[in-house]
Amino acid sequence: MRNFLAAALLLLGACAPAPQDDFVTLSYEAADVLLQGARRELPADATIIYGVFTPVGEPSTSSPFGRMFVELVASRLVQHGVGVVEVRLRDAIAVREGGPYALSDDARDVARRVQARAALSGSYAVTSEYALVTARLIDVATGIVLSSWDKRIPVYYADYALFETGTGWTRADRGSSAFR
């Protein structure tokens, strides 16, 4: 009887649908929404540059989440046939205080060299219960946001380490009170 119960539980778990808030599903959703929203503005053969997603108000830092999430969005764009080029430059795609979205001079040079029409940019903020994530496709010539995607993503205890930006202690080590 015990073995039957264990087998039944394993079978039920295997048949359960994937969670709707896993990072892969959400990053693919972000890419689909961004691409659909920018289709009128971007030609079919447009190239998009991208850099890491950063914590709100900290454009020169990132975390494993910021690096992973943008890679997944870019992967989905490639699956749709879009040319993407990663910009591995510090402060490559940033927001000027009180001003428009801007590319750094180095990133602008890369965009010119690869003839990119848009830049994928994103930011996030994390609390004890969720992360607020925003992603944008930005026209590299004008700085105008072509499309955007925003989501409130539940964050579980095991996910906290993905949001760490520094070395040493982690917020997960201090418990959920570090996020309040």
Side-chain angles (χ1 to χ4, degrees):
M1 180 68 168
R2 254 189 189 157
N3 289 340
F4 174 76
L5 218 49
L9 287 174
L10 281 174
L11 185 59
L12 284 174
C15 295
Q20 295 302 304
D21 56 3
D22 75 89
F23 295 144
V24 174
T25 301
L26 292 169
S27 63
Y28 281 20
E29 174 190 308
D32 294 347
V33 168
L34 290 170
L35 199 53
Q36 183 64 35
R39 275 292 181 210
R40 290 189 316 254
E41 306 294 328
L42 290 178
D45 63 345
T47 299
I48 296 172
I49 61 171
Y50 72 96
V52 298
F53 284 15
T54 61
V56 172
E58 299 178 48
S60 64
T61 63
S62 191
S63 66
F65 172 82
R67 291 183 292 275
M68 175 200 65
F69 201 83
V70 75
E71 290 289 340
L72 291 167
V73 173
S75 177
R76 182 63 167 190
L77 292 173
V78 169
Q79 291 171 17
H80 283 295
V82 176
V84 297
V85 176
E86 181 179 13
V87 180
R88 285 190 181 243
L89 302 170
R90 194 169 193 85
D91 301 327
I93 303 171
V95 180
R96 292 185 196 137
E97 276 190 45
Y101 295 101
L103 294 177
S104 70
D105 290 337
D106 290 337
R108 196 175 300 279
D109 182 51
V110 171
R112 254 191 312 274
R113 281 198 322 259
V114 300
Q115 299 178 345
R117 296 290 301 265
L120 170 61
S121 176
S123 59
Y124 56 89
V126 66
T127 72
S128 63
E129 297 173 6
Y130 58 88
L132 295 172
V133 181
T134 186
R136 297 165 297 281
L137 279 180
I138 303 166
D139 184 302
V140 296
T142 65
I144 293 173
V145 176
L146 302 174
S147 60
S148 64
W149 174 87
D150 306 294
K151 194 63 121 183
R152 181 178 185 224
I153 303 172
V155 175
Y156 304 101
Y157 187 78
D159 299 330
Y160 290 139
L162 292 174
F163 293 94
E164 293 308 315
T165 58
T167 57
W169 70 270
T170 65
R171 290 179 179 142
D173 292 337
R174 294 194 177 182
S176 63
S177 64
F179 290 96
R180 293 192 190 265

